[in-house]
Amino acid sequence: MKTMEEKAREIAKLMEDGKGNDVTLLDISGLNSWTDYFVIVTVTSSAHWQGLYKQIKEYIKDNDLEIHVTNRKSPDGDDWNLIDLGAIVVHLMSESARTFYDLEKLWHAGKTIDFRA
């Protein structure tokens, strides 16, 4: 049985293999009570994030994870798509949204994990 960290590493690798840019995996488990890992990915288009989303949907089928539905303020936006898997939250962000929100700086106390190791 895989640990949540192993699953987060696999998802980060999956995003990189799907041509997601600048993939970052953060362990924020000690900083909040609602999730343990952020996978942050820069995407280039609506089609790109949708393709990565499909890859995540395929991955979770065999890995005992489920997507938790989130309410969005703006349902038509492609700048930032959040996929809540409970202990893992995937952020698919345009380059401009990623620069603006700078989640790595906001969660600077989190530990960056090298998922390629």
Side-chain angles (χ1 to χ4, degrees):
M1 186 137 164
K2 296 176 191 173
T3 66
M4 227 19 103
E5 181 174 334
E6 289 169 330
K7 292 176 186 181
R9 286 174 182 265
E10 289 177 350
I11 290 170
K13 182 73 173 118
L14 184 68
M15 296 296 93
E16 188 172 74
D17 291 349
K19 306 295 183 209
N21 298 324
D22 195 21
V23 179
T24 300
L25 174 58
L26 288 179
D27 178 346
I28 58 168
S29 58
L31 305 176
N32 69 79
S33 62
W34 47 272
T35 195
D36 294 329
Y37 300 96
F38 277 175
V39 179
I40 307 167
V41 185
T42 301
V43 296
T44 56
S45 67
S46 177
H48 189 202
W49 80 255
Q50 289 173 15
L52 293 175
Y53 178 75
K54 286 179 186 175
Q55 288 182 323
I56 290 170
K57 283 175 64 173
E58 286 298 314
Y59 176 85
I60 67 174
K61 288 179 185 177
D62 299 324
N63 288 281
D64 197 31
L65 292 169
E66 65 181 73
I67 296 175
H68 301 265
V69 178
T70 57
N71 292 324
R72 293 180 56 171
K73 292 180 186 175
S74 172
D76 298 322
D78 285 335
D79 281 342
W80 186 355
N81 289 278
L82 183 142
I83 304 166
D84 183 354
L85 303 173
I88 304 166
V89 176
V90 181
H91 301 269
L92 303 176
M93 307 176 83
S94 68
E95 188 173 345
S96 61
R98 186 150 180 193
T99 300
F100 181 80
Y101 291 104
D102 200 358
L103 295 179
E104 291 92 337
K105 183 176 179 182
L106 183 64
W107 292 92
H108 65 88
K111 176 185 167 200
T112 301
I113 297 174
D114 183 4
F115 59 90
R116 296 169 193 92

